[in-house]
Amino acid sequence: MSNFKSIYFENDKLVLINQTLLPIKEEYIFTDDYERISVSIERLEVRGAPAIGIAAAYAFALAFKNISNPDDEYFKKVFNRLASTRPTAVNLFWALERMKKIFIANKQKESLYKILLNEAIRIHNEDIEMCNKMGENGLEIFTGETTVLTHCNTGALATGGSGTAFSVILNGYKNGLVKYVYADETRPLLQGSRLTAFELDKAGIPFSINSDSTAAFLMQKNKIDLVVVGSDRIAVNGDAANKIGTYNLAVLCKHHNIPFYIAAPTSTIDKNCKTGDDITIEFRDKKELNSFKGVQITSEKYNVFAPAFDVTPNELITGIITEKALHKPPYNFSGV
Ligand code: MRU
């Protein structure tokens, strides 16, 4: 487990480490306001597919803290606000649907807030368990001392527990199977060079940060044994959406004959998406590319193309690690 807390619930407040400030500042947001949590998700103060779902579940519960006999209009307002924060990570909608079911079954009860809170805590605890299981199931991908490359951030900051791909790396390291990690910086919001580096450092795992465009060079020089990343939504056929630049890595792996793995809990599988074509891709504000920390770095008048995610087709994925198993192709997640 990590030696810092990224998301927890205490004294009727959700506590989130502000990920936009890491690793320079470790500052926490304390709030019982679902609107403030919605804004945190939008700003990426809390991000990573499972963590977004967990934050939204707590936010949903908090929205009913001081409300007795809530009407359907209020419920819809809360649900739609939280569901509008980010479109790609299906864990958000998965968690909200769970909360909705509990709400519908208990909306007349005086103890509604407590009941909703218990469900949010259950979602959080289940995620911790799923992270541990992914770490265990992922051990199979290592055949000896391994140098791993990863993209974006998939650890304790992105989940309720030890992570998705990060949990696999961490467990591999603890078992003497991971000797070095290369962390893609992950343009433009630097989840790799800020957040994965922060987590690798805290865990004592030897690593380097590299620019995203260095991955091909590293592979050409035989520096990378395998790639493992997370996912924000997996279609039934195994096509997997993840941080923009993930697809590039999968194509590079194919060219260099390097295994390419995804690690994600089953809450990331979307049975409504038959293939990756059905996955909604988030587009981000142009200022995330044309400026840096508020400083304009190119002309404001230029068009910007800023998808936050891409989809890696299943045929490029060597295996998908969930809390249940290491799944091998051909993938069919309709019964998972
Ligand atoms: O935009 P972000 O930082 O929320 O994107 C996160 C990722 O792409 C992660 O790799 C993904 O959520 C899977 S790991 C928890």
Side-chain angles (χ1 to χ4, degrees):
M1 268 305 282
S2 58
N3 43 6
F4 61 93
K5 277 182 161 181
S6 56
I7 179 165
Y8 61 97
F9 197 83
E10 202 172 74
N11 299 328
D12 278 330
K13 285 201 164 77
L14 182 64
V15 188
L16 301 167
I17 199 164
N18 185 343
Q19 299 193 31
T20 61
L21 305 177
L22 288 172
I24 310 300
K25 276 192 202 157
E26 286 183 41
E27 248 179 51
Y28 285 83
I29 298 157
F30 296 78
T31 182
D32 59 2
D33 178 4
Y34 85 90
E35 174 54 28
R36 177 67 187 88
I37 299 167
S38 304
V39 170
S40 275
I41 297 172
E42 285 169 341
R43 289 183 185 158
L44 274 64
E45 289 169 342
V46 57
R47 32 68 48 210
I52 293 170
I54 293 163
Y58 282 122
F60 186 93
L62 284 168
F64 295 91
K65 190 167 119 181
N66 297 314
I67 307 273
S68 46
N69 284 325
D71 57 29
D72 283 354
E73 215 162 293
Y74 180 71
F75 157 75
K76 272 188 206 146
K77 185 178 138 197
V78 171
F79 187 94
N80 292 339
R81 173 65 182 113
L82 287 164
S84 74
T85 50
R86 294 193 72 190
T88 301
V90 77
N91 309 61
L92 171 70
F93 309 101
W94 171 87
L96 286 175
E97 286 300 329
R98 272 182 67 163
M99 298 305 289
K100 179 180 170 178
K101 266 196 199 134
I102 301 294
F103 170 81
I104 290 170
N106 299 284
K107 61 182 175 183
Q108 321 285 17
K109 296 194 184 143
E110 208 152 289
S111 53
L112 175 65
Y113 166 59
K114 262 218 156 110
I115 295 170
L116 290 171
L117 187 58
N118 281 339
E119 182 67 358
I121 292 169
R122 209 170 298 129
I123 287 172
H124 192 168
N125 287 338
E126 284 173 21
D127 191 65
I128 294 173
E129 196 47 40
M130 291 194 285
C131 287
N132 293 339
K133 289 261 162 61
M134 278 181 274
E136 285 166 24
N137 294 338
L139 271 188
E140 238 187 278
I141 70 174
F142 304 110
T143 48
E145 277 207 336
T146 307
T147 298
V148 177
L149 184 136
T150 191
H151 191 69
C152 199
N153 169 261
T154 64
L157 294 164
T159 64
S162 53
T164 58
F166 194 90
S167 177
V168 173
I169 293 169
L170 189 61
N171 205 23
Y173 176 71
K174 285 180 181 160
N175 282 275
L177 295 165
V178 169
K179 66 169 190 289
Y180 204 80
V181 176
Y182 285 94
D184 272 2
E185 69 169 347
T186 316
R187 288 277 303 143
L189 297 182
L190 310 179
Q191 287 93 332
S193 61
R194 296 186 306 104
L195 309 179
T196 302
F198 175 80
E199 293 184 340
L200 288 165
D201 183 43
K202 293 264 184 197
I205 303 175
F207 72 98
S208 291
I209 297 163
N210 56 273
S211 66
D212 298 342
S213 45
T214 302
F217 179 80
L218 282 167
M219 291 183 190
Q220 190 181 45
K221 296 291 176 197
N222 293 319
K223 298 272 193 208
I224 306 298
D225 298 310
L226 67 81
V227 170
V228 59
V229 297
S231 176
D232 289 79
R233 197 185 293 221
I234 299 174
V236 170
N237 72 345
D239 293 349
N242 192 46
K243 181 53 57 197
I244 190 74
T246 300
Y247 174 41
N248 307 32
L249 285 179
V251 172
L252 285 174
C253 282
K254 170 110 177 150
H255 180 76
H256 292 95
N257 204 16
I258 293 170
F260 176 89
Y261 292 97
I262 297 273
T266 49
S267 51
T268 300
I269 294 168
D270 186 352
K271 295 208 181 123
N272 295 318
C273 293
K274 284 202 176 73
T275 76
D277 289 342
D278 301 325
I279 298 175
T280 308
I281 298 293
E282 174 181 14
F283 279 76
R284 301 288 302 175
D285 194 292
K286 67 190 277 188
K287 71 174 183 302
E288 290 182 358
L289 273 180
N290 69 17
S291 66
F292 186 73
K293 287 188 177 286
V295 177
Q296 198 70 30
I297 52 172
T298 187
S299 173
E300 169 63 32
K301 71 177 188 207
Y302 298 157
N303 290 334
V304 166
F305 183 70
F309 301 96
D310 57 27
V311 176
T312 299
N314 58 23
E315 67 265 21
L316 296 179
I317 304 173
T318 313
I320 298 179
I321 304 151
T322 70
E323 76 280 11
K324 297 196 170 154
L326 167 60
H327 307 264
K328 290 289 188 129
Y331 305 107
N332 180 353
F333 289 115
S334 56
V336 173

